[in-house]
């Protein structure tokens, strides 16, 4: 049996679900952000697999752009987390409740 | 052979991804995230996307994980270790993740993807650099320009976010 498109998609789904699980479960903003990146990587895996098994380059070029955007996103997101920490002295989401009530 | 490698790297990627979620220390999470990215990069190599594998290692493992570790060090997490999970949060997140996974897997199973050609029947167009260059500088020329501006804007945004402005002390 050879590995086909289906196997890669199943793997990508599982990786995405694990990332989602982490986003829901963890309270530390930095770890939540890491899990978000994990979800992004899972989707790129699906795109590369589609591209490979269809014999086109478009999926790969999309992944190229996704990598660029992800790098920009991480820089801005971490800057926001640092700014938040400077103001509130915490990165735990259950202590960041200024909008509650 | 390629099958064994697929299962090996898939196991690495999934196992370390799970360890990112459950590990007690944020630094350990970042290290497992690095391993998970390595597993994914190896899978990219199995998919003949060599350029993307190298880019994933350079951009993610090189820059992003280093940035994460730097911020963890900078914020100096008090206590270090996380508190144990609440039972309700745990149960709810497990159910939600399983629902998401089962939903997408059901979608994959119901589609006609099993009739897709095998990898050996299709030319691996992503394997050569020439194809990327031709696409990026013809079909995707405008997106490339826009992404360049996006990086510039991100840089400006980070500078503005991290700068302290005199006389602009914000409301508590």
């Amino acid at each position: 049996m050879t590995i086909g498109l289906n196997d890669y998609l199943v793997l990508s789904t599982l990786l995405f679900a694990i990332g989602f699980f982490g986003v829901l479960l963890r309270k530390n903003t930095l770890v939540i952000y890491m899990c978000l990146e994990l979800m992004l990587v899972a989707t790129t895996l699906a795109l590369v697999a589609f591209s490979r098994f269809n014999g086109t380059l478009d999926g790969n070029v999309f992944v190229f752009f996704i990598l660029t955007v992800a790098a920009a996103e991480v820089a801005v997101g971490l800057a926001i987390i640092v700014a938040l920490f400077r103001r509130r002295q915490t990165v735990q989401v259950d202590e960041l409740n200024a909008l509650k009530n | 052979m390629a099958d064994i490698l697929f299962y090996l790297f898939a196991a690495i990627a999934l196992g370390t991804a799970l360890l990112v979620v459950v590990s007690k220390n944020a630094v350990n999470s970042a290290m497992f995230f690095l391993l998970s990215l390595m597993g994914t990069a190896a899978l990219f190599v199995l998919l003949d996307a060599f350029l993307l594998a190298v880019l994933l290692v350079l951009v993610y493992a090189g820059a992003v994980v280093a940035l994460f570790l730097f911020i963890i060090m900078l914020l100096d997490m008090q206590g270090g270790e996380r508190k144990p999970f609440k039972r309700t949060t745990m149960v709810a997140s497990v159910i939600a993740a399983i629902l998401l996974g089962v939903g997408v897997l059901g979608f994959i199973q119901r589609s006609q993807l099993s009739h897709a050609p095998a990898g050996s029947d299709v030319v691996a167009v992503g394997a050569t650099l020439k194809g990327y260059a031709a696409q990026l500088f013809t079909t995707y020329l405008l997106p490339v320009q826009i992404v360049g501006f996006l990086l510039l804007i991100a840089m400006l945004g980070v500078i503005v976010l991290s700068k302290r402005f005199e006389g602009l002390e914000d409301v508590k």
Side-chain angles (χ1 to χ4, degrees), chain A residues 1 6 9 11 26 30 37 52 55-58 60 67-68 70 86-87, chain B residues 3 21 23 43 47-48 60 77 108 113 119 122 131-132 140 147 164 170:
Chain A
M1 192 198 100
N6 246 330
L9 289 184
L11 174 64
R26 294 305 300 258
L30 280 164
E37 294 302 316
R52 171 71 183 87
T56 58
L57 201 61
D58 298 304
N60 288 16
L67 282 179
T68 323
R86 268 205 321 233
R87 180 86 62 82
Chain B
D3 290 13
V21 177
S23 58
L43 287 169
L47 283 168
D48 296 317
Y60 263 96
M77 306 292 178
I108 291 171
L113 293 175
V122 184
Y132 286 99
Y140 294 99
V147 155
R164 283 176 204 275
D170 12 41

PDB file of all heavy atoms in Angstrom, chain A residues 1 6 9 11 26 30 37 52 55-58 60 67-68 70 86-87, chain B residues 3 21 23 43 47-48 60 77 108 113 119 122 131-132 140 147 164 170:
ATOM      1  N   MET A   1       0.847  -1.203   0.000  1.00  0.00           N
ATOM      2  CA  MET A   1       0.000   0.000   0.000  1.00  0.00           C
ATOM      3  C   MET A   1       0.875   1.242   0.000  1.00  0.00           C
ATOM      4  O   MET A   1       1.819   1.353   0.764  1.00  0.00           O
ATOM      5  CB  MET A   1      -0.871  -0.028   1.269  1.00  0.00           C
ATOM      6  CG  MET A   1      -1.961   0.986   1.241  1.00  0.00           C
ATOM      7  SD  MET A   1      -2.613   1.287   2.904  1.00  0.00           S
ATOM      8  CE  MET A   1      -1.771   2.797   3.320  1.00  0.00           C
ATOM      9  N   ASN A   6      -5.167  10.858   0.688  1.00  0.00           N
ATOM     10  CA  ASN A   6      -6.021  10.688   1.866  1.00  0.00           C
ATOM     11  C   ASN A   6      -5.227  10.671   3.165  1.00  0.00           C
ATOM     12  O   ASN A   6      -5.612  11.302   4.138  1.00  0.00           O
ATOM     13  CB  ASN A   6      -6.790   9.372   1.744  1.00  0.00           C
ATOM     14  CG  ASN A   6      -8.260   9.616   1.597  1.00  0.00           C
ATOM     15  OD1 ASN A   6      -8.771  10.608   2.100  1.00  0.00           O
ATOM     16  ND2 ASN A   6      -8.947   8.745   0.894  1.00  0.00           N
ATOM     17  N   LEU A   9      -4.097  14.056   4.164  1.00  0.00           N
ATOM     18  CA  LEU A   9      -5.200  14.900   4.643  1.00  0.00           C
ATOM     19  C   LEU A   9      -5.627  14.496   6.046  1.00  0.00           C
ATOM     20  O   LEU A   9      -5.929  15.351   6.882  1.00  0.00           O
ATOM     21  CB  LEU A   9      -6.383  14.815   3.684  1.00  0.00           C
ATOM     22  CG  LEU A   9      -6.160  15.498   2.347  1.00  0.00           C
ATOM     23  CD1 LEU A   9      -7.413  15.438   1.503  1.00  0.00           C
ATOM     24  CD2 LEU A   9      -5.733  16.927   2.538  1.00  0.00           C
ATOM     25  N   LEU A  11      -3.685  13.156   8.308  1.00  0.00           N
ATOM     26  CA  LEU A  11      -2.632  13.665   9.197  1.00  0.00           C
ATOM     27  C   LEU A  11      -2.800  15.157   9.438  1.00  0.00           C
ATOM     28  O   LEU A  11      -2.708  15.638  10.578  1.00  0.00           O
ATOM     29  CB  LEU A  11      -1.268  13.386   8.565  1.00  0.00           C
ATOM     30  CG  LEU A  11      -0.084  13.993   9.298  1.00  0.00           C
ATOM     31  CD1 LEU A  11       0.045  13.378  10.671  1.00  0.00           C
ATOM     32  CD2 LEU A  11       1.190  13.782   8.517  1.00  0.00           C
ATOM     33  N   ARG A  26      -5.258  25.595  26.892  1.00  0.00           N
ATOM     34  CA  ARG A  26      -4.208  26.301  27.606  1.00  0.00           C
ATOM     35  C   ARG A  26      -4.642  27.698  28.030  1.00  0.00           C
ATOM     36  O   ARG A  26      -5.514  28.306  27.404  1.00  0.00           O
ATOM     37  CB  ARG A  26      -2.945  26.396  26.745  1.00  0.00           C
ATOM     38  CG  ARG A  26      -2.314  25.078  26.468  1.00  0.00           C
ATOM     39  CD  ARG A  26      -1.985  24.291  27.705  1.00  0.00           C
ATOM     40  NE  ARG A  26      -1.059  24.991  28.564  1.00  0.00           N
ATOM     41  CZ  ARG A  26       0.226  24.723  28.633  1.00  0.00           C
ATOM     42  NH1 ARG A  26       0.744  23.779  27.886  1.00  0.00           N
ATOM     43  NH2 ARG A  26       1.002  25.385  29.466  1.00  0.00           N
ATOM     44  N   LEU A  30       1.152  32.734  25.329  1.00  0.00           N
ATOM     45  CA  LEU A  30       2.232  32.334  24.418  1.00  0.00           C
ATOM     46  C   LEU A  30       2.019  30.921  23.893  1.00  0.00           C
ATOM     47  O   LEU A  30       2.236  30.656  22.712  1.00  0.00           O
ATOM     48  CB  LEU A  30       3.570  32.422  25.148  1.00  0.00           C
ATOM     49  CG  LEU A  30       4.130  33.836  25.229  1.00  0.00           C
ATOM     50  CD1 LEU A  30       5.207  33.903  26.276  1.00  0.00           C
ATOM     51  CD2 LEU A  30       4.683  34.245  23.900  1.00  0.00           C
ATOM     52  N   GLU A  37      -0.064  28.611  15.599  1.00  0.00           N
ATOM     53  CA  GLU A  37       0.928  28.377  14.539  1.00  0.00           C
ATOM     54  C   GLU A  37       0.897  26.929  14.084  1.00  0.00           C
ATOM     55  O   GLU A  37       1.064  26.639  12.901  1.00  0.00           O
ATOM     56  CB  GLU A  37       2.322  28.726  15.047  1.00  0.00           C
ATOM     57  CG  GLU A  37       2.512  30.188  15.359  1.00  0.00           C
ATOM     58  CD  GLU A  37       2.237  31.055  14.168  1.00  0.00           C
ATOM     59  OE1 GLU A  37       2.702  30.693  13.074  1.00  0.00           O
ATOM     60  OE2 GLU A  37       1.553  32.070  14.319  1.00  0.00           O
ATOM     61  N   ARG A  52       0.811  18.344  -4.668  1.00  0.00           N
ATOM     62  CA  ARG A  52       1.648  17.241  -5.134  1.00  0.00           C
ATOM     63  C   ARG A  52       0.829  16.221  -5.919  1.00  0.00           C
ATOM     64  O   ARG A  52       1.248  15.759  -6.971  1.00  0.00           O
ATOM     65  CB  ARG A  52       2.294  16.576  -3.920  1.00  0.00           C
ATOM     66  CG  ARG A  52       3.037  15.291  -4.192  1.00  0.00           C
ATOM     67  CD  ARG A  52       4.314  15.570  -4.946  1.00  0.00           C
ATOM     68  NE  ARG A  52       5.025  14.345  -5.292  1.00  0.00           N
ATOM     69  CZ  ARG A  52       4.800  13.637  -6.387  1.00  0.00           C
ATOM     70  NH1 ARG A  52       3.877  14.021  -7.235  1.00  0.00           N
ATOM     71  NH2 ARG A  52       5.498  12.548  -6.648  1.00  0.00           N
ATOM     72  N   GLY A  55      -0.445  17.543  -9.393  1.00  0.00           N
ATOM     73  CA  GLY A  55       0.539  17.927 -10.398  1.00  0.00           C
ATOM     74  C   GLY A  55       0.516  19.402 -10.742  1.00  0.00           C
ATOM     75  O   GLY A  55       0.816  19.782 -11.871  1.00  0.00           O
ATOM     76  N   THR A  56       0.129  20.259  -9.786  1.00  0.00           N
ATOM     77  CA  THR A  56       0.155  21.703 -10.029  1.00  0.00           C
ATOM     78  C   THR A  56       1.081  22.371  -9.020  1.00  0.00           C
ATOM     79  O   THR A  56       1.448  21.789  -8.011  1.00  0.00           O
ATOM     80  CB  THR A  56      -1.247  22.321  -9.880  1.00  0.00           C
ATOM     81  OG1 THR A  56      -1.712  22.028  -8.566  1.00  0.00           O
ATOM     82  CG2 THR A  56      -2.198  21.778 -10.896  1.00  0.00           C
ATOM     83  N   LEU A  57       1.415  23.629  -9.292  1.00  0.00           N
ATOM     84  CA  LEU A  57       2.327  24.336  -8.407  1.00  0.00           C
ATOM     85  C   LEU A  57       1.607  25.336  -7.514  1.00  0.00           C
ATOM     86  O   LEU A  57       2.196  25.897  -6.590  1.00  0.00           O
ATOM     87  CB  LEU A  57       3.388  25.050  -9.253  1.00  0.00           C
ATOM     88  CG  LEU A  57       4.683  25.416  -8.547  1.00  0.00           C
ATOM     89  CD1 LEU A  57       5.364  24.176  -8.046  1.00  0.00           C
ATOM     90  CD2 LEU A  57       5.579  26.186  -9.455  1.00  0.00           C
ATOM     91  N   ASP A  58       0.312  25.551  -7.787  1.00  0.00           N
ATOM     92  CA  ASP A  58      -0.395  26.639  -7.099  1.00  0.00           C
ATOM     93  C   ASP A  58      -0.416  26.469  -5.583  1.00  0.00           C
ATOM     94  O   ASP A  58      -0.206  27.420  -4.848  1.00  0.00           O
ATOM     95  CB  ASP A  58      -1.824  26.733  -7.631  1.00  0.00           C
ATOM     96  CG  ASP A  58      -1.831  27.049  -9.099  1.00  0.00           C
ATOM     97  OD1 ASP A  58      -1.238  28.072  -9.468  1.00  0.00           O
ATOM     98  OD2 ASP A  58      -2.413  26.277  -9.873  1.00  0.00           O
ATOM     99  N   ASN A  60       1.740  24.981  -3.701  1.00  0.00           N
ATOM    100  CA  ASN A  60       3.060  25.286  -3.152  1.00  0.00           C
ATOM    101  C   ASN A  60       3.290  26.785  -3.073  1.00  0.00           C
ATOM    102  O   ASN A  60       3.879  27.280  -2.113  1.00  0.00           O
ATOM    103  CB  ASN A  60       4.135  24.645  -4.020  1.00  0.00           C
ATOM    104  CG  ASN A  60       4.188  23.152  -3.866  1.00  0.00           C
ATOM    105  OD1 ASN A  60       3.242  22.558  -3.352  1.00  0.00           O
ATOM    106  ND2 ASN A  60       5.267  22.542  -4.280  1.00  0.00           N
ATOM    107  N   LEU A  67       3.679  31.249   4.547  1.00  0.00           N
ATOM    108  CA  LEU A  67       4.862  31.341   5.405  1.00  0.00           C
ATOM    109  C   LEU A  67       5.242  32.794   5.652  1.00  0.00           C
ATOM    110  O   LEU A  67       5.563  33.196   6.772  1.00  0.00           O
ATOM    111  CB  LEU A  67       6.036  30.600   4.767  1.00  0.00           C
ATOM    112  CG  LEU A  67       6.051  29.085   4.879  1.00  0.00           C
ATOM    113  CD1 LEU A  67       7.256  28.512   4.175  1.00  0.00           C
ATOM    114  CD2 LEU A  67       6.059  28.670   6.320  1.00  0.00           C
ATOM    115  N   THR A  68       5.184  33.602   4.582  1.00  0.00           N
ATOM    116  CA  THR A  68       5.530  35.024   4.722  1.00  0.00           C
ATOM    117  C   THR A  68       4.566  35.721   5.670  1.00  0.00           C
ATOM    118  O   THR A  68       4.981  36.452   6.580  1.00  0.00           O
ATOM    119  CB  THR A  68       5.474  35.709   3.349  1.00  0.00           C
ATOM    120  OG1 THR A  68       5.947  34.809   2.381  1.00  0.00           O
ATOM    121  CG2 THR A  68       6.273  36.969   3.354  1.00  0.00           C
ATOM    122  N   ALA A  70       2.676  34.387   7.924  1.00  0.00           N
ATOM    123  CA  ALA A  70       2.802  33.867   9.278  1.00  0.00           C
ATOM    124  C   ALA A  70       3.967  34.527  10.003  1.00  0.00           C
ATOM    125  O   ALA A  70       3.864  34.833  11.192  1.00  0.00           O
ATOM    126  CB  ALA A  70       2.985  32.352   9.242  1.00  0.00           C
ATOM    127  N   ARG A  86       3.416  44.348  29.646  1.00  0.00           N
ATOM    128  CA  ARG A  86       3.926  45.566  30.279  1.00  0.00           C
ATOM    129  C   ARG A  86       2.825  46.290  31.028  1.00  0.00           C
ATOM    130  O   ARG A  86       3.058  46.918  32.057  1.00  0.00           O
ATOM    131  CB  ARG A  86       4.504  46.488  29.206  1.00  0.00           C
ATOM    132  CG  ARG A  86       5.963  46.270  28.998  1.00  0.00           C
ATOM    133  CD  ARG A  86       6.687  47.469  28.455  1.00  0.00           C
ATOM    134  NE  ARG A  86       5.995  48.232  27.464  1.00  0.00           N
ATOM    135  CZ  ARG A  86       6.510  48.541  26.282  1.00  0.00           C
ATOM    136  NH1 ARG A  86       7.702  48.115  25.950  1.00  0.00           N
ATOM    137  NH2 ARG A  86       5.850  49.287  25.431  1.00  0.00           N
ATOM    138  N   ARG A  87       1.600  46.226  30.507  1.00  0.00           N
ATOM    139  CA  ARG A  87       0.474  46.914  31.123  1.00  0.00           C
ATOM    140  C   ARG A  87      -0.106  46.136  32.283  1.00  0.00           C
ATOM    141  O   ARG A  87      -0.383  46.672  33.351  1.00  0.00           O
ATOM    142  CB  ARG A  87      -0.611  47.130  30.061  1.00  0.00           C
ATOM    143  CG  ARG A  87      -1.834  47.829  30.550  1.00  0.00           C
ATOM    144  CD  ARG A  87      -1.688  49.325  30.482  1.00  0.00           C
ATOM    145  NE  ARG A  87      -1.511  49.726  29.108  1.00  0.00           N
ATOM    146  CZ  ARG A  87      -2.515  49.875  28.253  1.00  0.00           C
ATOM    147  NH1 ARG A  87      -3.739  49.631  28.638  1.00  0.00           N
ATOM    148  NH2 ARG A  87      -2.300  50.268  27.028  1.00  0.00           N
TER     149      ARG A  87
ATOM    150  N   ASP B   3       6.822   4.648   2.756  1.00  0.00           N
ATOM    151  CA  ASP B   3       5.682   4.469   3.654  1.00  0.00           C
ATOM    152  C   ASP B   3       6.129   4.506   5.109  1.00  0.00           C
ATOM    153  O   ASP B   3       5.529   5.185   5.938  1.00  0.00           O
ATOM    154  CB  ASP B   3       5.008   3.118   3.382  1.00  0.00           C
ATOM    155  CG  ASP B   3       4.302   3.121   2.062  1.00  0.00           C
ATOM    156  OD1 ASP B   3       4.566   4.063   1.287  1.00  0.00           O
ATOM    157  OD2 ASP B   3       3.503   2.227   1.819  1.00  0.00           O
ATOM    158  N   VAL B  21       0.946  20.852  23.689  1.00  0.00           N
ATOM    159  CA  VAL B  21      -0.270  21.221  24.410  1.00  0.00           C
ATOM    160  C   VAL B  21      -0.165  20.890  25.892  1.00  0.00           C
ATOM    161  O   VAL B  21      -0.555  21.688  26.733  1.00  0.00           O
ATOM    162  CB  VAL B  21      -1.483  20.511  23.776  1.00  0.00           C
ATOM    163  CG1 VAL B  21      -2.742  20.821  24.539  1.00  0.00           C
ATOM    164  CG2 VAL B  21      -1.638  20.917  22.338  1.00  0.00           C
ATOM    165  N   SER B  23       2.643  20.015  27.870  1.00  0.00           N
ATOM    166  CA  SER B  23       3.832  20.161  28.712  1.00  0.00           C
ATOM    167  C   SER B  23       3.674  21.313  29.703  1.00  0.00           C
ATOM    168  O   SER B  23       3.000  22.299  29.444  1.00  0.00           O
ATOM    169  CB  SER B  23       5.093  20.310  27.883  1.00  0.00           C
ATOM    170  OG  SER B  23       5.000  21.389  27.056  1.00  0.00           O
ATOM    171  N   LEU B  43       8.007  15.758   6.180  1.00  0.00           N
ATOM    172  CA  LEU B  43       6.869  15.340   5.345  1.00  0.00           C
ATOM    173  C   LEU B  43       6.830  16.142   4.052  1.00  0.00           C
ATOM    174  O   LEU B  43       6.469  15.621   3.001  1.00  0.00           O
ATOM    175  CB  LEU B  43       5.568  15.524   6.120  1.00  0.00           C
ATOM    176  CG  LEU B  43       5.357  14.499   7.226  1.00  0.00           C
ATOM    177  CD1 LEU B  43       4.214  14.901   8.115  1.00  0.00           C
ATOM    178  CD2 LEU B  43       5.081  13.147   6.622  1.00  0.00           C
ATOM    179  N   LEU B  47       6.901  14.889   0.167  1.00  0.00           N
ATOM    180  CA  LEU B  47       5.974  15.362  -0.861  1.00  0.00           C
ATOM    181  C   LEU B  47       6.716  16.071  -1.989  1.00  0.00           C
ATOM    182  O   LEU B  47       6.098  16.765  -2.804  1.00  0.00           O
ATOM    183  CB  LEU B  47       4.952  16.305  -0.240  1.00  0.00           C
ATOM    184  CG  LEU B  47       3.818  15.663   0.557  1.00  0.00           C
ATOM    185  CD1 LEU B  47       3.061  16.690   1.342  1.00  0.00           C
ATOM    186  CD2 LEU B  47       2.886  14.935  -0.384  1.00  0.00           C
ATOM    187  N   ASP B  48       8.037  15.969  -2.021  1.00  0.00           N
ATOM    188  CA  ASP B  48       8.880  16.572  -3.062  1.00  0.00           C
ATOM    189  C   ASP B  48       8.842  18.096  -3.080  1.00  0.00           C
ATOM    190  O   ASP B  48       9.085  18.707  -4.112  1.00  0.00           O
ATOM    191  CB  ASP B  48       8.499  16.053  -4.457  1.00  0.00           C
ATOM    192  CG  ASP B  48       8.746  14.566  -4.569  1.00  0.00           C
ATOM    193  OD1 ASP B  48       9.792  14.125  -4.097  1.00  0.00           O
ATOM    194  OD2 ASP B  48       7.882  13.868  -5.120  1.00  0.00           O
ATOM    195  N   TYR B  60      10.272  29.136  10.238  1.00  0.00           N
ATOM    196  CA  TYR B  60       9.599  28.755  11.482  1.00  0.00           C
ATOM    197  C   TYR B  60      10.616  28.352  12.548  1.00  0.00           C
ATOM    198  O   TYR B  60      10.706  28.978  13.600  1.00  0.00           O
ATOM    199  CB  TYR B  60       8.629  27.599  11.231  1.00  0.00           C
ATOM    200  CG  TYR B  60       7.221  28.076  11.034  1.00  0.00           C
ATOM    201  CD1 TYR B  60       6.707  28.273   9.778  1.00  0.00           C
ATOM    202  CD2 TYR B  60       6.422  28.347  12.123  1.00  0.00           C
ATOM    203  CE1 TYR B  60       5.420  28.724   9.596  1.00  0.00           C
ATOM    204  CE2 TYR B  60       5.144  28.798  11.952  1.00  0.00           C
ATOM    205  CZ  TYR B  60       4.647  28.989  10.693  1.00  0.00           C
ATOM    206  OH  TYR B  60       3.382  29.437  10.523  1.00  0.00           O
ATOM    207  N   MET B  77       8.251  34.148  32.847  1.00  0.00           N
ATOM    208  CA  MET B  77       7.027  33.566  33.425  1.00  0.00           C
ATOM    209  C   MET B  77       7.158  33.292  34.917  1.00  0.00           C
ATOM    210  O   MET B  77       7.971  32.464  35.330  1.00  0.00           O
ATOM    211  CB  MET B  77       6.744  32.208  32.769  1.00  0.00           C
ATOM    212  CG  MET B  77       6.679  32.252  31.295  1.00  0.00           C
ATOM    213  SD  MET B  77       5.267  33.168  30.818  1.00  0.00           S
ATOM    214  CE  MET B  77       5.466  33.125  29.069  1.00  0.00           C
ATOM    215  N   ILE B 108     -13.639  14.254   4.447  1.00  0.00           N
ATOM    216  CA  ILE B 108     -12.614  13.661   3.566  1.00  0.00           C
ATOM    217  C   ILE B 108     -13.086  12.298   3.071  1.00  0.00           C
ATOM    218  O   ILE B 108     -12.956  11.973   1.890  1.00  0.00           O
ATOM    219  CB  ILE B 108     -11.282  13.533   4.325  1.00  0.00           C
ATOM    220  CG1 ILE B 108     -10.693  14.905   4.603  1.00  0.00           C
ATOM    221  CG2 ILE B 108     -10.287  12.705   3.536  1.00  0.00           C
ATOM    222  CD1 ILE B 108      -9.511  14.871   5.518  1.00  0.00           C
ATOM    223  N   LEU B 113     -11.824  11.584  -2.980  1.00  0.00           N
ATOM    224  CA  LEU B 113     -10.372  11.727  -3.011  1.00  0.00           C
ATOM    225  C   LEU B 113      -9.655  10.403  -3.203  1.00  0.00           C
ATOM    226  O   LEU B 113      -8.522  10.358  -3.657  1.00  0.00           O
ATOM    227  CB  LEU B 113      -9.888  12.375  -1.715  1.00  0.00           C
ATOM    228  CG  LEU B 113     -10.325  13.811  -1.550  1.00  0.00           C
ATOM    229  CD1 LEU B 113      -9.907  14.319  -0.199  1.00  0.00           C
ATOM    230  CD2 LEU B 113      -9.736  14.664  -2.639  1.00  0.00           C
ATOM    231  N   GLY B 119       0.937   9.213  -6.149  1.00  0.00           N
ATOM    232  CA  GLY B 119       2.006  10.185  -6.297  1.00  0.00           C
ATOM    233  C   GLY B 119       2.961   9.847  -7.432  1.00  0.00           C
ATOM    234  O   GLY B 119       3.488  10.747  -8.093  1.00  0.00           O
ATOM    235  N   VAL B 122       2.055  11.228 -11.000  1.00  0.00           N
ATOM    236  CA  VAL B 122       2.007  12.658 -11.263  1.00  0.00           C
ATOM    237  C   VAL B 122       3.426  13.211 -11.217  1.00  0.00           C
ATOM    238  O   VAL B 122       4.237  12.795 -10.385  1.00  0.00           O
ATOM    239  CB  VAL B 122       1.125  13.367 -10.207  1.00  0.00           C
ATOM    240  CG1 VAL B 122       0.982  14.829 -10.536  1.00  0.00           C
ATOM    241  CG2 VAL B 122      -0.223  12.706 -10.132  1.00  0.00           C
ATOM    242  N   GLY B 131      10.203  26.254 -11.468  1.00  0.00           N
ATOM    243  CA  GLY B 131       8.757  26.416 -11.477  1.00  0.00           C
ATOM    244  C   GLY B 131       8.299  27.533 -10.555  1.00  0.00           C
ATOM    245  O   GLY B 131       7.476  28.370 -10.927  1.00  0.00           O
ATOM    246  N   TYR B 132       8.889  27.573  -9.341  1.00  0.00           N
ATOM    247  CA  TYR B 132       8.520  28.620  -8.382  1.00  0.00           C
ATOM    248  C   TYR B 132       8.830  29.996  -8.951  1.00  0.00           C
ATOM    249  O   TYR B 132       8.017  30.919  -8.880  1.00  0.00           O
ATOM    250  CB  TYR B 132       9.300  28.451  -7.073  1.00  0.00           C
ATOM    251  CG  TYR B 132       8.841  27.323  -6.222  1.00  0.00           C
ATOM    252  CD1 TYR B 132       9.496  26.118  -6.235  1.00  0.00           C
ATOM    253  CD2 TYR B 132       7.742  27.481  -5.406  1.00  0.00           C
ATOM    254  CE1 TYR B 132       9.076  25.076  -5.451  1.00  0.00           C
ATOM    255  CE2 TYR B 132       7.311  26.447  -4.604  1.00  0.00           C
ATOM    256  CZ  TYR B 132       7.991  25.246  -4.642  1.00  0.00           C
ATOM    257  OH  TYR B 132       7.563  24.223  -3.862  1.00  0.00           O
ATOM    258  N   TYR B 140       1.911  35.320 -10.130  1.00  0.00           N
ATOM    259  CA  TYR B 140       1.732  35.827  -8.765  1.00  0.00           C
ATOM    260  C   TYR B 140       2.592  37.055  -8.501  1.00  0.00           C
ATOM    261  O   TYR B 140       3.007  37.289  -7.377  1.00  0.00           O
ATOM    262  CB  TYR B 140       2.068  34.724  -7.758  1.00  0.00           C
ATOM    263  CG  TYR B 140       1.103  33.570  -7.814  1.00  0.00           C
ATOM    264  CD1 TYR B 140       1.405  32.420  -8.506  1.00  0.00           C
ATOM    265  CD2 TYR B 140      -0.130  33.661  -7.187  1.00  0.00           C
ATOM    266  CE1 TYR B 140       0.507  31.370  -8.565  1.00  0.00           C
ATOM    267  CE2 TYR B 140      -1.031  32.616  -7.242  1.00  0.00           C
ATOM    268  CZ  TYR B 140      -0.704  31.472  -7.930  1.00  0.00           C
ATOM    269  OH  TYR B 140      -1.593  30.439  -7.988  1.00  0.00           O
ATOM    270  N   VAL B 147       2.796  41.213  -0.557  1.00  0.00           N
ATOM    271  CA  VAL B 147       3.386  40.573   0.610  1.00  0.00           C
ATOM    272  C   VAL B 147       4.601  41.365   1.089  1.00  0.00           C
ATOM    273  O   VAL B 147       4.843  41.500   2.292  1.00  0.00           O
ATOM    274  CB  VAL B 147       3.722  39.108   0.266  1.00  0.00           C
ATOM    275  CG1 VAL B 147       4.822  38.577   1.145  1.00  0.00           C
ATOM    276  CG2 VAL B 147       2.496  38.252   0.436  1.00  0.00           C
ATOM    277  N   ARG B 164       7.537  53.398  23.626  1.00  0.00           N
ATOM    278  CA  ARG B 164       6.817  54.147  24.662  1.00  0.00           C
ATOM    279  C   ARG B 164       6.694  55.583  24.194  1.00  0.00           C
ATOM    280  O   ARG B 164       7.678  56.231  23.894  1.00  0.00           O
ATOM    281  CB  ARG B 164       7.607  54.117  25.968  1.00  0.00           C
ATOM    282  CG  ARG B 164       7.517  52.836  26.734  1.00  0.00           C
ATOM    283  CD  ARG B 164       8.426  52.929  27.928  1.00  0.00           C
ATOM    284  NE  ARG B 164       8.837  51.607  28.391  1.00  0.00           N
ATOM    285  CZ  ARG B 164       8.114  50.879  29.223  1.00  0.00           C
ATOM    286  NH1 ARG B 164       6.986  51.332  29.693  1.00  0.00           N
ATOM    287  NH2 ARG B 164       8.525  49.687  29.586  1.00  0.00           N
ATOM    288  N   ASP B 170      -1.560  55.803  28.823  1.00  0.00           N
ATOM    289  CA  ASP B 170      -2.923  55.390  28.509  1.00  0.00           C
ATOM    290  C   ASP B 170      -3.757  55.176  29.760  1.00  0.00           C
ATOM    291  O   ASP B 170      -3.255  55.034  30.857  1.00  0.00           O
ATOM    292  CB  ASP B 170      -2.871  54.114  27.688  1.00  0.00           C
ATOM    293  CG  ASP B 170      -1.492  53.536  27.723  1.00  0.00           C
ATOM    294  OD1 ASP B 170      -0.872  53.543  28.815  1.00  0.00           O
ATOM    295  OD2 ASP B 170      -1.023  53.097  26.696  1.00  0.00           O
TER     296      ASP B 170
END
